[in-house]
Amino acid sequence: MDVPVWMWVATIGMILAMLAFDFVGHVRTPHAPTLREASWWSAGYVGIAILFGAGIWAYFGSVYGGEYFAGYITEKSLSVDNLFVFVLIMTSFRVPRLYQQKVLLIGITIALVLRTIFIFLGAALIENFSWVFYIFGAFLIYTAYTQVKSAREHDDEEYKENGVLRLTRRLFPTTDAYVEDKMFTKIDGKRYITPMLIVMIAIGSADLLFAVDSIPAIFGLTQETFLVFAANAFSLLGLRQLYFLIDGLLDRLVYLAWGLAAILGFIGIKLLIHALHKNEIPFINGGEHVTAIPEISTAVSLSFILVTLAITTIASLAKDKSDRRRLEKETY
C-alpha cells in the first residue's frame, strides 16, 4: 500500500481539525451534554469514519478498505470496554458531570499522541522482525483468557491509581477539591495542581494501557501503518461522545467481555497463522515457512467480528430484559 504524502498530511490535518473543533466547540464552555446531543455527535463521528473508509475502499481497493473497516470496528468495540474503566475513574475522582467532557477530551488527546508512538514502534518491529507476530498472537490469546476470567467482575471493580498518578501526587502539591475546571491554581502564592489534572492523567494513562491490547489486535488485521493509525484515531475521537451516549447502557452489556474475548482470541489465532507463513525461526520447521494452514482472509475476519458483536449485544440486551422482568415480579 503506497500512501502518498498528501494523504498523510490530509488525514493528520483532519484529525487535528476535529480535535480543535472539540476543544473550541464543546469543552470551552463547560456543560453536561444531553442524550440528544451525544447521539447526534456520536453518529457524526461514526459517519466521518465510514466516509473515510469508503474513500480508502475507492482509492486503494476492497482489500485495504476491508482491513480498515475490520480494524476500526475492532478498535471501536474495544473502546466500549474501556468506557467501563472511564466510568470507574470518573466515579472514583468524583468528577462533576459539568467538567467530564473536558477530562475525557484531554485524556483522549494524550492517549492519541502516545498510541501514535506505539503504532510506529510496532510497525518498525513488524517490518524488521517477523517473529513479533508470534508474540502478538500469543499475547492476544492470553488477553482473551483474562477477558473471560474478568467477564463477571465489572460490578465489583474499584479503580486503583497506577504508578504514574502516585508519582504525580508525590512530586507535586495537589489541592483536595476541584477549582472549577482549572488544572492549576495558586494558593498563598504557591502553585498547586488540581484533581482535574490528575483525573486527565488517569484517563490518558488508562487508555495507554488499553493500547497494549488494541494495537497488537489491529496489527493482526492489517500491517499497513496508515490504516492502523487512522482506525485508532477515528475510534478514539468519537469516544467522548460515546461515553455520554451509552453511560447508562454499559451495565446492560453483560456479555461484552465474552464477545471481546472471542474477537481477541480469533485475531490472536490469525496472527499465529500469519507468523507461521512468515516463519524464519530456526527451531520451527527449520526456519522454513509453514503454509499447511491457510491464512484467514480480511472478509472472514470482518464477518466474524460483526457477527460476534451482534450476538453479544442481542444476548446482553435479552438477558437484561429478562432480569428486569424477574425483578419486577419479585418486587410485586
Side-chain angles (χ1 to χ4, degrees), residues 99-332:
Y99 306 134
Q100 287 183 3
Q101 283 204 96
K102 186 173 183 178
V103 169
L104 285 167
L105 186 55
I106 294 181
I108 287 167
T109 303
I110 294 170
L112 182 57
V113 173
L114 295 176
R115 278 196 185 205
T116 300
I117 296 170
F118 267 36
I119 288 167
F120 282 98
L121 285 175
L125 281 172
I126 286 171
E127 183 151 354
N128 293 286
F129 306 103
S130 61
W131 49 261
V132 169
F133 287 113
Y134 285 112
I135 297 174
F136 280 4
F139 179 75
L140 287 179
I141 292 172
Y142 172 75
T143 304
Y145 166 72
T146 59
Q147 279 277 353
V148 170
K149 276 187 65 178
S150 64
R152 298 180 180 179
E153 295 176 4
H154 279 305
D155 293 337
D156 302 324
E157 285 183 5
E158 290 183 8
Y159 175 70
K160 296 178 182 178
E161 290 189 356
N162 57 38
V164 174
L165 293 180
R166 290 195 295 271
L167 180 62
T168 302
R169 288 188 187 277
R170 194 175 302 161
L171 294 178
F172 302 100
T174 310
T175 61
D176 294 325
Y178 289 90
V179 185
E180 297 178 343
D181 63 343
K182 296 178 181 176
M183 292 181 282
F184 302 93
T185 189
K186 277 190 176 181
I187 301 175
D188 297 329
K190 186 177 181 181
R191 184 174 290 275
Y192 287 79
I193 63 174
T194 72
M196 181 64 69
L197 179 60
I198 296 291
V199 73
M200 287 173 182
I201 295 172
I203 294 287
S205 56
D207 193 85
L208 182 61
L209 293 177
F210 296 136
V212 176
D213 297 341
S214 65
I215 299 298
I218 193 169
F219 270 119
L221 298 167
T222 176
Q223 282 84 60
E224 298 297 334
T225 308
F226 179 73
L227 299 181
V228 174
F229 169 75
N232 256 276
F234 285 121
S235 66
L236 278 176
L237 285 172
L239 199 55
R240 176 182 60 81
Q241 292 83 358
L242 192 63
Y243 174 88
F244 291 100
L245 179 61
I246 67 172
D247 186 8
L249 189 66
L250 287 174
D251 290 337
R252 299 173 64 185
L253 299 176
V254 291
Y255 295 127
L256 178 64
W258 293 93
L260 293 179
I263 291 170
L264 290 173
F266 172 83
I267 298 173
I269 292 169
K270 184 178 187 294
L271 271 172
L272 290 179
I273 294 172
H274 182 71
L276 289 169
H277 277 251
K278 297 285 185 179
N279 181 60
E280 294 176 352
I281 298 177
F283 57 82
I284 298 178
N285 197 37
E288 298 295 324
H289 301 338
V290 182
T291 57
I293 305 173
E295 291 213 53
I296 300 171
S297 69
T298 301
V300 171
S301 299
L302 185 55
S303 300
F304 181 87
I305 292 165
L306 288 172
V307 169
T308 301
L309 289 175
I311 292 172
T312 298
T313 303
I314 293 169
S316 293
L317 295 179
K319 185 178 187 305
D320 179 74
K321 188 176 181 179
S322 173
D323 290 345
R324 288 173 185 269
R325 283 180 178 173
R326 188 176 66 252
L327 187 61
E328 286 176 3
K329 288 180 180 178
E330 291 175 355
T331 302
Y332 294 102

Side-chain angles (χ1 to χ4, degrees), residues 39-103:
S39 299
W40 277 108
W41 282 110
S42 187
Y45 275 92
V46 170
I48 290 170
I50 291 173
L51 286 174
F52 183 87
I56 294 294
W57 196 296
Y59 192 91
F60 292 105
S62 59
V63 173
Y64 291 122
E67 288 182 2
Y68 165 80
F69 279 115
Y72 173 73
I73 293 168
T74 299
E75 292 298 307
K76 201 70 175 174
S77 0
L78 288 170
S79 71
V80 173
D81 194 45
N82 299 354
L83 293 181
F84 281 106
V85 177
F86 288 177
V87 169
L88 289 172
I89 292 173
M90 295 288 193
T91 303
S92 176
F93 284 93
R94 296 181 176 85
V95 182
R97 195 163 180 83
L98 197 64
Y99 306 134
Q100 287 183 3
Q101 283 204 96
K102 186 173 183 178
V103 169

